[in-house]
Amino acid sequence: MQKTVSAIPINVVIADDHELFRDGLKLMLSSVEGIHLAGEAWDGRELISQVKKLVPDVVITDIKMPIIDGVEATKYIMQHYPAIKVIALSMYDDEELILEMFEAGAIGYLLKNADKTEVVEAVQSVFQNKPYYCKSTSGKLTKLIAFSRYNMQKQQKEAEFSEKEKEIIRLICQEYTNKQIGEKLYLSTRTVEGYRMKILEKMGAKNIVGIVIEAIRLGIYIPKT
């Protein structure tokens, strides 16, 4: 029987070589109902050891770590424990390293300054096998992910979108607000909100970054170079 967020806690292992950051993340997660911090690691080798011992549902790991880095640890986890979902942690928007993590098998990523709400949302999203992209993702990284081998190889059925939905998607990608979209398309703000919710659901996205990445991947939106 598949675990659910409400019935059985999501077991999480965290890995980061900075003790203060680990302590902060532990404190953050300890107060969240439905998430259980199963273990922690200070480098990639210890992370692999913890994964072998605990077989968690979700791993949150820093990319840059001593001995074995997050990319190599993720490759090992995906090879031996493909059901585990990995979230990459980055101190800053390091596009190439984040992309390497996705290509290694990570399904989400967060900047280290993400707030509690976003961390919890990311854990719950990847646990349900839905990709999670940090809300602060740069335009450059968004395009890199959308055009990457990681996304091209995803076995995901392409949703069917109406012409109206595609029009709204393009405007969302251009950072129009619901109100601005409504004024442009002669729709009420509430109607646009309804469209937005349906688009998020069809794409399996959690935020605007997810919409943009999927829109580029599907050819609905072509960003300016």
Side-chain angles (χ1 to χ4, degrees):
M1 183 176 178
Q2 188 176 5
K3 290 193 280 187
T4 62
V5 173
S6 58
I8 301 174
I10 302 170
N11 288 311
V12 177
V13 167
I14 61 174
D16 193 281
D17 58 324
H18 292 96
E19 186 176 2
L20 283 176
F21 181 80
R22 286 202 317 275
D23 287 346
L25 194 53
K26 284 192 294 184
L27 185 62
M28 181 188 293
L29 294 175
S30 65
S31 63
V32 180
E33 186 178 356
I35 294 178
H36 172 244
L37 182 59
E40 62 179 294
W42 47 90
D43 61 43
R45 183 172 61 186
E46 178 63 18
L47 171 58
I48 290 171
S49 175
Q50 289 288 298
V51 165
K52 288 178 179 178
K53 177 182 173 183
L54 302 168
V55 192
D57 300 303
V58 176
V59 166
I60 304 176
T61 179
D62 191 12
I63 302 175
K64 294 180 177 180
M65 292 188 294
I67 305 178
I68 298 176
D69 66 17
V71 174
E72 293 305 313
T74 298
K75 286 178 181 177
Y76 179 91
I77 292 168
M78 289 299 98
Q79 182 179 353
H80 297 277
Y81 304 91
I84 295 176
K85 310 304 178 188
V86 178
I87 298 172
L89 277 173
S90 178
M91 191 68 184
Y92 46 87
D93 225 357
D94 194 334
E95 286 90 355
E96 294 302 327
L97 283 177
I98 292 167
L99 197 58
E100 281 186 43
M101 283 294 287
F102 277 119
E103 294 185 345
I107 190 174
Y109 108 90
L110 290 165
L111 292 181
K112 287 191 176 183
N113 61 1
D115 60 25
K116 179 179 177 179
T117 300
E118 187 166 20
V119 173
V120 172
E121 190 175 44
V123 170
Q124 293 174 341
S125 178
V126 301
F127 177 69
Q128 297 170 51
N129 204 32
K130 295 178 180 178
Y132 191 90
Y133 308 105
C134 181
K135 293 174 183 175
S136 303
T137 304
S138 69
K140 178 184 175 184
L141 180 57
T142 298
K143 287 187 278 187
L144 282 172
I145 294 171
F147 289 122
S148 72
R149 183 163 54 88
Y150 152 74
N151 255 299
M152 297 305 290
Q153 290 182 345
K154 273 176 33 178
Q155 297 299 312
Q156 179 179 327
K157 184 179 178 181
E158 292 188 7
E160 291 294 325
F161 296 95
S162 68
E163 287 306 312
K164 182 65 70 177
E165 286 172 334
K166 289 178 182 177
E167 200 171 5
I168 290 172
I169 288 168
R170 292 184 192 106
L171 292 172
I172 290 172
C173 291
Q174 294 172 60
E175 301 184 7
Y176 279 67
T177 65
N178 288 345
K179 183 180 179 182
Q180 290 169 331
I181 293 171
E183 290 172 352
K184 192 172 183 65
L185 302 181
Y186 304 103
L187 299 171
S188 70
T189 301
R190 180 168 291 185
T191 298
V192 176
E193 288 171 356
Y195 271 110
R196 185 185 287 258
M197 293 303 294
K198 187 180 290 186
I199 289 164
L200 284 165
E201 185 179 345
K202 280 187 176 184
M203 288 185 168
K206 285 292 182 181
N207 52 37
I208 292 175
V209 176
I211 289 177
V212 175
I213 288 172
E214 194 66 4
I216 295 172
R217 193 182 75 83
L218 296 174
I220 295 172
Y221 172 68
I222 301 174
K224 294 178 180 179
T225 55

PDB file of all heavy atoms in Angstrom, residues 158-190:
ATOM      1  N   GLU A 158       2.310  13.868 -22.441  1.00  0.00           N
ATOM      2  CA  GLU A 158       2.065  15.278 -22.701  1.00  0.00           C
ATOM      3  C   GLU A 158       0.564  15.568 -22.592  1.00  0.00           C
ATOM      4  O   GLU A 158      -0.253  14.963 -23.258  1.00  0.00           O
ATOM      5  CB  GLU A 158       2.578  15.652 -24.100  1.00  0.00           C
ATOM      6  CG  GLU A 158       4.085  15.591 -24.200  1.00  0.00           C
ATOM      7  CD  GLU A 158       4.591  16.141 -25.520  1.00  0.00           C
ATOM      8  OE1 GLU A 158       3.772  16.682 -26.285  1.00  0.00           O
ATOM      9  OE2 GLU A 158       5.803  16.028 -25.766  1.00  0.00           O
ATOM     10  N   ALA A 159       0.238  16.491 -21.724  1.00  0.00           N
ATOM     11  CA  ALA A 159      -1.173  16.845 -21.521  1.00  0.00           C
ATOM     12  C   ALA A 159      -1.695  17.624 -22.722  1.00  0.00           C
ATOM     13  O   ALA A 159      -0.947  18.290 -23.426  1.00  0.00           O
ATOM     14  CB  ALA A 159      -1.309  17.680 -20.249  1.00  0.00           C
ATOM     15  N   GLU A 160      -2.963  17.504 -22.941  1.00  0.00           N
ATOM     16  CA  GLU A 160      -3.605  18.250 -24.018  1.00  0.00           C
ATOM     17  C   GLU A 160      -4.082  19.589 -23.467  1.00  0.00           C
ATOM     18  O   GLU A 160      -4.798  19.637 -22.471  1.00  0.00           O
ATOM     19  CB  GLU A 160      -4.795  17.464 -24.575  1.00  0.00           C
ATOM     20  CG  GLU A 160      -4.409  16.199 -25.332  1.00  0.00           C
ATOM     21  CD  GLU A 160      -3.639  16.500 -26.605  1.00  0.00           C
ATOM     22  OE1 GLU A 160      -3.939  17.521 -27.245  1.00  0.00           O
ATOM     23  OE2 GLU A 160      -2.742  15.712 -26.953  1.00  0.00           O
ATOM     24  N   PHE A 161      -3.709  20.660 -24.114  1.00  0.00           N
ATOM     25  CA  PHE A 161      -4.113  21.998 -23.688  1.00  0.00           C
ATOM     26  C   PHE A 161      -4.940  22.661 -24.779  1.00  0.00           C
ATOM     27  O   PHE A 161      -4.614  22.551 -25.966  1.00  0.00           O
ATOM     28  CB  PHE A 161      -2.881  22.858 -23.376  1.00  0.00           C
ATOM     29  CG  PHE A 161      -2.065  22.355 -22.215  1.00  0.00           C
ATOM     30  CD1 PHE A 161      -0.972  21.533 -22.425  1.00  0.00           C
ATOM     31  CD2 PHE A 161      -2.413  22.702 -20.922  1.00  0.00           C
ATOM     32  CE1 PHE A 161      -0.229  21.064 -21.355  1.00  0.00           C
ATOM     33  CE2 PHE A 161      -1.671  22.242 -19.852  1.00  0.00           C
ATOM     34  CZ  PHE A 161      -0.583  21.418 -20.066  1.00  0.00           C
ATOM     35  N   SER A 162      -5.984  23.354 -24.360  1.00  0.00           N
ATOM     36  CA  SER A 162      -6.797  24.104 -25.318  1.00  0.00           C
ATOM     37  C   SER A 162      -6.019  25.333 -25.782  1.00  0.00           C
ATOM     38  O   SER A 162      -5.011  25.720 -25.170  1.00  0.00           O
ATOM     39  CB  SER A 162      -8.107  24.541 -24.656  1.00  0.00           C
ATOM     40  OG  SER A 162      -7.849  25.513 -23.652  1.00  0.00           O
ATOM     41  N   GLU A 163      -6.479  25.949 -26.857  1.00  0.00           N
ATOM     42  CA  GLU A 163      -5.814  27.152 -27.353  1.00  0.00           C
ATOM     43  C   GLU A 163      -5.842  28.268 -26.310  1.00  0.00           C
ATOM     44  O   GLU A 163      -4.875  29.014 -26.161  1.00  0.00           O
ATOM     45  CB  GLU A 163      -6.460  27.621 -28.659  1.00  0.00           C
ATOM     46  CG  GLU A 163      -6.134  26.739 -29.857  1.00  0.00           C
ATOM     47  CD  GLU A 163      -4.637  26.533 -30.070  1.00  0.00           C
ATOM     48  OE1 GLU A 163      -3.890  27.530 -30.043  1.00  0.00           O
ATOM     49  OE2 GLU A 163      -4.221  25.377 -30.246  1.00  0.00           O
ATOM     50  N   LYS A 164      -6.950  28.363 -25.590  1.00  0.00           N
ATOM     51  CA  LYS A 164      -7.058  29.383 -24.533  1.00  0.00           C
ATOM     52  C   LYS A 164      -6.040  29.117 -23.426  1.00  0.00           C
ATOM     53  O   LYS A 164      -5.388  30.040 -22.929  1.00  0.00           O
ATOM     54  CB  LYS A 164      -8.477  29.408 -23.962  1.00  0.00           C
ATOM     55  CG  LYS A 164      -8.705  30.470 -22.887  1.00  0.00           C
ATOM     56  CD  LYS A 164      -8.577  31.880 -23.458  1.00  0.00           C
ATOM     57  CE  LYS A 164      -9.731  32.198 -24.366  1.00  0.00           C
ATOM     58  NZ  LYS A 164      -9.657  33.598 -24.884  1.00  0.00           N
ATOM     59  N   GLU A 165      -5.902  27.847 -23.048  1.00  0.00           N
ATOM     60  CA  GLU A 165      -4.920  27.492 -22.022  1.00  0.00           C
ATOM     61  C   GLU A 165      -3.503  27.808 -22.488  1.00  0.00           C
ATOM     62  O   GLU A 165      -2.693  28.329 -21.709  1.00  0.00           O
ATOM     63  CB  GLU A 165      -5.044  26.001 -21.679  1.00  0.00           C
ATOM     64  CG  GLU A 165      -6.275  25.661 -20.851  1.00  0.00           C
ATOM     65  CD  GLU A 165      -6.494  24.179 -20.684  1.00  0.00           C
ATOM     66  OE1 GLU A 165      -6.040  23.402 -21.550  1.00  0.00           O
ATOM     67  OE2 GLU A 165      -7.122  23.791 -19.680  1.00  0.00           O
ATOM     68  N   LYS A 166      -3.212  27.509 -23.746  1.00  0.00           N
ATOM     69  CA  LYS A 166      -1.880  27.805 -24.280  1.00  0.00           C
ATOM     70  C   LYS A 166      -1.607  29.307 -24.266  1.00  0.00           C
ATOM     71  O   LYS A 166      -0.498  29.752 -23.964  1.00  0.00           O
ATOM     72  CB  LYS A 166      -1.752  27.265 -25.702  1.00  0.00           C
ATOM     73  CG  LYS A 166      -1.680  25.744 -25.780  1.00  0.00           C
ATOM     74  CD  LYS A 166      -1.615  25.276 -27.228  1.00  0.00           C
ATOM     75  CE  LYS A 166      -1.594  23.759 -27.315  1.00  0.00           C
ATOM     76  NZ  LYS A 166      -1.593  23.283 -28.711  1.00  0.00           N
ATOM     77  N   GLU A 167      -2.638  30.084 -24.594  1.00  0.00           N
ATOM     78  CA  GLU A 167      -2.501  31.539 -24.590  1.00  0.00           C
ATOM     79  C   GLU A 167      -2.194  32.037 -23.181  1.00  0.00           C
ATOM     80  O   GLU A 167      -1.310  32.880 -22.978  1.00  0.00           O
ATOM     81  CB  GLU A 167      -3.814  32.156 -25.103  1.00  0.00           C
ATOM     82  CG  GLU A 167      -3.678  33.581 -25.595  1.00  0.00           C
ATOM     83  CD  GLU A 167      -4.940  34.062 -26.281  1.00  0.00           C
ATOM     84  OE1 GLU A 167      -5.945  33.340 -26.302  1.00  0.00           O
ATOM     85  OE2 GLU A 167      -4.905  35.200 -26.792  1.00  0.00           O
ATOM     86  N   ILE A 168      -2.892  31.473 -22.209  1.00  0.00           N
ATOM     87  CA  ILE A 168      -2.673  31.862 -20.809  1.00  0.00           C
ATOM     88  C   ILE A 168      -1.298  31.402 -20.338  1.00  0.00           C
ATOM     89  O   ILE A 168      -0.591  32.131 -19.631  1.00  0.00           O
ATOM     90  CB  ILE A 168      -3.799  31.296 -19.915  1.00  0.00           C
ATOM     91  CG1 ILE A 168      -5.108  32.037 -20.218  1.00  0.00           C
ATOM     92  CG2 ILE A 168      -3.435  31.423 -18.433  1.00  0.00           C
ATOM     93  CD1 ILE A 168      -6.327  31.448 -19.552  1.00  0.00           C
ATOM     94  N   ILE A 169      -0.899  30.207 -20.740  1.00  0.00           N
ATOM     95  CA  ILE A 169       0.428  29.690 -20.372  1.00  0.00           C
ATOM     96  C   ILE A 169       1.520  30.637 -20.867  1.00  0.00           C
ATOM     97  O   ILE A 169       2.459  30.966 -20.129  1.00  0.00           O
ATOM     98  CB  ILE A 169       0.647  28.277 -20.957  1.00  0.00           C
ATOM     99  CG1 ILE A 169      -0.214  27.256 -20.204  1.00  0.00           C
ATOM    100  CG2 ILE A 169       2.128  27.878 -20.874  1.00  0.00           C
ATOM    101  CD1 ILE A 169      -0.293  25.901 -20.873  1.00  0.00           C
ATOM    102  N   ARG A 170       1.401  31.091 -22.110  1.00  0.00           N
ATOM    103  CA  ARG A 170       2.418  31.993 -22.674  1.00  0.00           C
ATOM    104  C   ARG A 170       2.489  33.302 -21.888  1.00  0.00           C
ATOM    105  O   ARG A 170       3.574  33.844 -21.655  1.00  0.00           O
ATOM    106  CB  ARG A 170       2.114  32.268 -24.150  1.00  0.00           C
ATOM    107  CG  ARG A 170       2.285  31.042 -25.035  1.00  0.00           C
ATOM    108  CD  ARG A 170       2.064  31.351 -26.502  1.00  0.00           C
ATOM    109  NE  ARG A 170       1.952  30.120 -27.277  1.00  0.00           N
ATOM    110  CZ  ARG A 170       0.826  29.636 -27.777  1.00  0.00           C
ATOM    111  NH1 ARG A 170      -0.308  30.306 -27.613  1.00  0.00           N
ATOM    112  NH2 ARG A 170       0.818  28.508 -28.452  1.00  0.00           N
ATOM    113  N   LEU A 171       1.344  33.793 -21.473  1.00  0.00           N
ATOM    114  CA  LEU A 171       1.318  35.041 -20.696  1.00  0.00           C
ATOM    115  C   LEU A 171       1.883  34.827 -19.295  1.00  0.00           C
ATOM    116  O   LEU A 171       2.585  35.687 -18.753  1.00  0.00           O
ATOM    117  CB  LEU A 171      -0.114  35.589 -20.631  1.00  0.00           C
ATOM    118  CG  LEU A 171      -0.675  36.090 -21.972  1.00  0.00           C
ATOM    119  CD1 LEU A 171      -2.151  36.434 -21.832  1.00  0.00           C
ATOM    120  CD2 LEU A 171       0.108  37.307 -22.469  1.00  0.00           C
ATOM    121  N   ILE A 172       1.608  33.662 -18.696  1.00  0.00           N
ATOM    122  CA  ILE A 172       2.193  33.331 -17.394  1.00  0.00           C
ATOM    123  C   ILE A 172       3.718  33.301 -17.516  1.00  0.00           C
ATOM    124  O   ILE A 172       4.439  33.816 -16.661  1.00  0.00           O
ATOM    125  CB  ILE A 172       1.669  31.968 -16.887  1.00  0.00           C
ATOM    126  CG1 ILE A 172       0.185  32.071 -16.489  1.00  0.00           C
ATOM    127  CG2 ILE A 172       2.495  31.482 -15.689  1.00  0.00           C
ATOM    128  CD1 ILE A 172      -0.455  30.732 -16.153  1.00  0.00           C
ATOM    129  N   CYS A 173       4.204  32.694 -18.601  1.00  0.00           N
ATOM    130  CA  CYS A 173       5.646  32.593 -18.833  1.00  0.00           C
ATOM    131  C   CYS A 173       6.289  33.973 -19.004  1.00  0.00           C
ATOM    132  O   CYS A 173       7.486  34.153 -18.734  1.00  0.00           O
ATOM    133  CB  CYS A 173       5.933  31.738 -20.061  1.00  0.00           C
ATOM    134  SG  CYS A 173       5.539  29.979 -19.846  1.00  0.00           S
ATOM    135  N   GLN A 174       5.494  34.940 -19.456  1.00  0.00           N
ATOM    136  CA  GLN A 174       5.982  36.311 -19.626  1.00  0.00           C
ATOM    137  C   GLN A 174       5.737  37.154 -18.372  1.00  0.00           C
ATOM    138  O   GLN A 174       5.877  38.371 -18.401  1.00  0.00           O
ATOM    139  CB  GLN A 174       5.293  36.945 -20.841  1.00  0.00           C
ATOM    140  CG  GLN A 174       5.667  36.289 -22.159  1.00  0.00           C
ATOM    141  CD  GLN A 174       4.828  36.787 -23.324  1.00  0.00           C
ATOM    142  OE1 GLN A 174       4.838  37.987 -23.626  1.00  0.00           O
ATOM    143  NE2 GLN A 174       4.089  35.895 -23.968  1.00  0.00           N
ATOM    144  N   GLU A 175       5.371  36.479 -17.277  1.00  0.00           N
ATOM    145  CA  GLU A 175       5.224  37.089 -15.952  1.00  0.00           C
ATOM    146  C   GLU A 175       4.042  38.049 -15.847  1.00  0.00           C
ATOM    147  O   GLU A 175       4.057  38.977 -15.041  1.00  0.00           O
ATOM    148  CB  GLU A 175       6.530  37.774 -15.522  1.00  0.00           C
ATOM    149  CG  GLU A 175       7.710  36.808 -15.463  1.00  0.00           C
ATOM    150  CD  GLU A 175       8.981  37.470 -14.954  1.00  0.00           C
ATOM    151  OE1 GLU A 175       8.927  38.639 -14.513  1.00  0.00           O
ATOM    152  OE2 GLU A 175      10.040  36.827 -15.016  1.00  0.00           O
ATOM    153  N   TYR A 176       3.006  37.812 -16.634  1.00  0.00           N
ATOM    154  CA  TYR A 176       1.771  38.583 -16.477  1.00  0.00           C
ATOM    155  C   TYR A 176       1.057  38.104 -15.220  1.00  0.00           C
ATOM    156  O   TYR A 176       1.050  36.907 -14.920  1.00  0.00           O
ATOM    157  CB  TYR A 176       0.840  38.375 -17.684  1.00  0.00           C
ATOM    158  CG  TYR A 176       1.164  39.198 -18.901  1.00  0.00           C
ATOM    159  CD1 TYR A 176       2.337  38.986 -19.629  1.00  0.00           C
ATOM    160  CD2 TYR A 176       0.294  40.189 -19.353  1.00  0.00           C
ATOM    161  CE1 TYR A 176       2.641  39.733 -20.758  1.00  0.00           C
ATOM    162  CE2 TYR A 176       0.580  40.941 -20.492  1.00  0.00           C
ATOM    163  CZ  TYR A 176       1.754  40.709 -21.186  1.00  0.00           C
ATOM    164  OH  TYR A 176       2.038  41.448 -22.299  1.00  0.00           O
ATOM    165  N   THR A 177       0.438  39.014 -14.477  1.00  0.00           N
ATOM    166  CA  THR A 177      -0.358  38.643 -13.318  1.00  0.00           C
ATOM    167  C   THR A 177      -1.726  38.155 -13.780  1.00  0.00           C
ATOM    168  O   THR A 177      -2.109  38.346 -14.946  1.00  0.00           O
ATOM    169  CB  THR A 177      -0.554  39.836 -12.376  1.00  0.00           C
ATOM    170  OG1 THR A 177      -1.345  40.842 -13.056  1.00  0.00           O
ATOM    171  CG2 THR A 177       0.774  40.436 -11.944  1.00  0.00           C
ATOM    172  N   ASN A 178      -2.478  37.535 -12.864  1.00  0.00           N
ATOM    173  CA  ASN A 178      -3.833  37.084 -13.205  1.00  0.00           C
ATOM    174  C   ASN A 178      -4.689  38.247 -13.692  1.00  0.00           C
ATOM    175  O   ASN A 178      -5.451  38.116 -14.653  1.00  0.00           O
ATOM    176  CB  ASN A 178      -4.498  36.431 -11.988  1.00  0.00           C
ATOM    177  CG  ASN A 178      -3.909  35.070 -11.674  1.00  0.00           C
ATOM    178  OD1 ASN A 178      -3.203  34.486 -12.490  1.00  0.00           O
ATOM    179  ND2 ASN A 178      -4.199  34.555 -10.498  1.00  0.00           N
ATOM    180  N   LYS A 179      -4.553  39.378 -13.023  1.00  0.00           N
ATOM    181  CA  LYS A 179      -5.345  40.553 -13.398  1.00  0.00           C
ATOM    182  C   LYS A 179      -4.970  41.032 -14.803  1.00  0.00           C
ATOM    183  O   LYS A 179      -5.852  41.346 -15.621  1.00  0.00           O
ATOM    184  CB  LYS A 179      -5.128  41.678 -12.377  1.00  0.00           C
ATOM    185  CG  LYS A 179      -5.963  42.921 -12.646  1.00  0.00           C
ATOM    186  CD  LYS A 179      -5.704  43.996 -11.598  1.00  0.00           C
ATOM    187  CE  LYS A 179      -6.530  45.246 -11.908  1.00  0.00           C
ATOM    188  NZ  LYS A 179      -6.261  46.334 -10.936  1.00  0.00           N
ATOM    189  N   GLN A 180      -3.667  41.081 -15.087  1.00  0.00           N
ATOM    190  CA  GLN A 180      -3.206  41.535 -16.402  1.00  0.00           C
ATOM    191  C   GLN A 180      -3.643  40.580 -17.509  1.00  0.00           C
ATOM    192  O   GLN A 180      -4.031  40.999 -18.600  1.00  0.00           O
ATOM    193  CB  GLN A 180      -1.679  41.683 -16.393  1.00  0.00           C
ATOM    194  CG  GLN A 180      -1.179  42.851 -15.558  1.00  0.00           C
ATOM    195  CD  GLN A 180       0.329  42.811 -15.367  1.00  0.00           C
ATOM    196  OE1 GLN A 180       0.951  41.742 -15.354  1.00  0.00           O
ATOM    197  NE2 GLN A 180       0.941  43.981 -15.206  1.00  0.00           N
ATOM    198  N   ILE A 181      -3.594  39.268 -17.209  1.00  0.00           N
ATOM    199  CA  ILE A 181      -4.046  38.273 -18.187  1.00  0.00           C
ATOM    200  C   ILE A 181      -5.534  38.450 -18.462  1.00  0.00           C
ATOM    201  O   ILE A 181      -5.980  38.409 -19.614  1.00  0.00           O
ATOM    202  CB  ILE A 181      -3.755  36.840 -17.683  1.00  0.00           C
ATOM    203  CG1 ILE A 181      -2.242  36.590 -17.629  1.00  0.00           C
ATOM    204  CG2 ILE A 181      -4.418  35.794 -18.599  1.00  0.00           C
ATOM    205  CD1 ILE A 181      -1.857  35.297 -16.953  1.00  0.00           C
ATOM    206  N   GLY A 182      -6.299  38.661 -17.395  1.00  0.00           N
ATOM    207  CA  GLY A 182      -7.735  38.861 -17.542  1.00  0.00           C
ATOM    208  C   GLY A 182      -8.061  40.074 -18.402  1.00  0.00           C
ATOM    209  O   GLY A 182      -8.929  40.013 -19.282  1.00  0.00           O
ATOM    210  N   GLU A 183      -7.337  41.168 -18.164  1.00  0.00           N
ATOM    211  CA  GLU A 183      -7.575  42.388 -18.947  1.00  0.00           C
ATOM    212  C   GLU A 183      -7.213  42.180 -20.414  1.00  0.00           C
ATOM    213  O   GLU A 183      -7.898  42.671 -21.315  1.00  0.00           O
ATOM    214  CB  GLU A 183      -6.743  43.541 -18.357  1.00  0.00           C
ATOM    215  CG  GLU A 183      -7.263  44.009 -17.004  1.00  0.00           C
ATOM    216  CD  GLU A 183      -6.325  45.009 -16.331  1.00  0.00           C
ATOM    217  OE1 GLU A 183      -5.203  45.203 -16.858  1.00  0.00           O
ATOM    218  OE2 GLU A 183      -6.712  45.573 -15.286  1.00  0.00           O
ATOM    219  N   LYS A 184      -6.158  41.429 -20.661  1.00  0.00           N
ATOM    220  CA  LYS A 184      -5.692  41.208 -22.039  1.00  0.00           C
ATOM    221  C   LYS A 184      -6.635  40.276 -22.810  1.00  0.00           C
ATOM    222  O   LYS A 184      -6.856  40.461 -24.014  1.00  0.00           O
ATOM    223  CB  LYS A 184      -4.273  40.613 -22.013  1.00  0.00           C
ATOM    224  CG  LYS A 184      -3.580  40.611 -23.368  1.00  0.00           C
ATOM    225  CD  LYS A 184      -2.133  40.187 -23.219  1.00  0.00           C
ATOM    226  CE  LYS A 184      -1.387  40.244 -24.548  1.00  0.00           C
ATOM    227  NZ  LYS A 184      -1.254  41.606 -25.083  1.00  0.00           N
ATOM    228  N   LEU A 185      -7.190  39.288 -22.106  1.00  0.00           N
ATOM    229  CA  LEU A 185      -8.028  38.279 -22.768  1.00  0.00           C
ATOM    230  C   LEU A 185      -9.522  38.471 -22.497  1.00  0.00           C
ATOM    231  O   LEU A 185     -10.328  37.618 -22.867  1.00  0.00           O
ATOM    232  CB  LEU A 185      -7.598  36.865 -22.323  1.00  0.00           C
ATOM    233  CG  LEU A 185      -6.135  36.486 -22.586  1.00  0.00           C
ATOM    234  CD1 LEU A 185      -5.868  35.067 -22.115  1.00  0.00           C
ATOM    235  CD2 LEU A 185      -5.795  36.626 -24.068  1.00  0.00           C
ATOM    236  N   TYR A 186      -9.867  39.557 -21.836  1.00  0.00           N
ATOM    237  CA  TYR A 186     -11.266  39.873 -21.509  1.00  0.00           C
ATOM    238  C   TYR A 186     -11.905  38.761 -20.659  1.00  0.00           C
ATOM    239  O   TYR A 186     -13.001  38.288 -20.924  1.00  0.00           O
ATOM    240  CB  TYR A 186     -12.086  40.105 -22.794  1.00  0.00           C
ATOM    241  CG  TYR A 186     -11.492  41.184 -23.669  1.00  0.00           C
ATOM    242  CD1 TYR A 186     -10.773  40.853 -24.817  1.00  0.00           C
ATOM    243  CD2 TYR A 186     -11.624  42.527 -23.334  1.00  0.00           C
ATOM    244  CE1 TYR A 186     -10.192  41.837 -25.614  1.00  0.00           C
ATOM    245  CE2 TYR A 186     -11.051  43.527 -24.126  1.00  0.00           C
ATOM    246  CZ  TYR A 186     -10.333  43.172 -25.259  1.00  0.00           C
ATOM    247  OH  TYR A 186      -9.777  44.154 -26.033  1.00  0.00           O
ATOM    248  N   LEU A 187     -11.173  38.367 -19.627  1.00  0.00           N
ATOM    249  CA  LEU A 187     -11.650  37.360 -18.683  1.00  0.00           C
ATOM    250  C   LEU A 187     -11.609  37.947 -17.278  1.00  0.00           C
ATOM    251  O   LEU A 187     -10.808  38.851 -16.996  1.00  0.00           O
ATOM    252  CB  LEU A 187     -10.752  36.109 -18.723  1.00  0.00           C
ATOM    253  CG  LEU A 187     -10.649  35.349 -20.053  1.00  0.00           C
ATOM    254  CD1 LEU A 187      -9.546  34.296 -19.947  1.00  0.00           C
ATOM    255  CD2 LEU A 187     -11.972  34.697 -20.405  1.00  0.00           C
ATOM    256  N   SER A 188     -12.435  37.426 -16.390  1.00  0.00           N
ATOM    257  CA  SER A 188     -12.385  37.872 -14.998  1.00  0.00           C
ATOM    258  C   SER A 188     -11.138  37.292 -14.337  1.00  0.00           C
ATOM    259  O   SER A 188     -10.622  36.243 -14.764  1.00  0.00           O
ATOM    260  CB  SER A 188     -13.625  37.413 -14.236  1.00  0.00           C
ATOM    261  OG  SER A 188     -13.603  36.010 -14.044  1.00  0.00           O
ATOM    262  N   THR A 189     -10.668  37.959 -13.290  1.00  0.00           N
ATOM    263  CA  THR A 189      -9.490  37.466 -12.565  1.00  0.00           C
ATOM    264  C   THR A 189      -9.755  36.081 -12.008  1.00  0.00           C
ATOM    265  O   THR A 189      -8.877  35.206 -12.038  1.00  0.00           O
ATOM    266  CB  THR A 189      -9.126  38.433 -11.421  1.00  0.00           C
ATOM    267  OG1 THR A 189      -8.862  39.727 -11.971  1.00  0.00           O
ATOM    268  CG2 THR A 189      -7.894  37.957 -10.676  1.00  0.00           C
ATOM    269  N   ARG A 190     -10.967  35.843 -11.535  1.00  0.00           N
ATOM    270  CA  ARG A 190     -11.317  34.536 -10.975  1.00  0.00           C
ATOM    271  C   ARG A 190     -11.245  33.447 -12.046  1.00  0.00           C
ATOM    272  O   ARG A 190     -10.799  32.334 -11.780  1.00  0.00           O
ATOM    273  CB  ARG A 190     -12.718  34.575 -10.363  1.00  0.00           C
ATOM    274  CG  ARG A 190     -13.160  33.248  -9.765  1.00  0.00           C
ATOM    275  CD  ARG A 190     -14.395  33.383  -8.919  1.00  0.00           C
ATOM    276  NE  ARG A 190     -14.124  34.123  -7.695  1.00  0.00           N
ATOM    277  CZ  ARG A 190     -15.021  34.305  -6.727  1.00  0.00           C
ATOM    278  NH1 ARG A 190     -16.246  33.835  -6.863  1.00  0.00           N
ATOM    279  NH2 ARG A 190     -14.708  34.974  -5.638  1.00  0.00           N
TER     280      ARG A 190
END
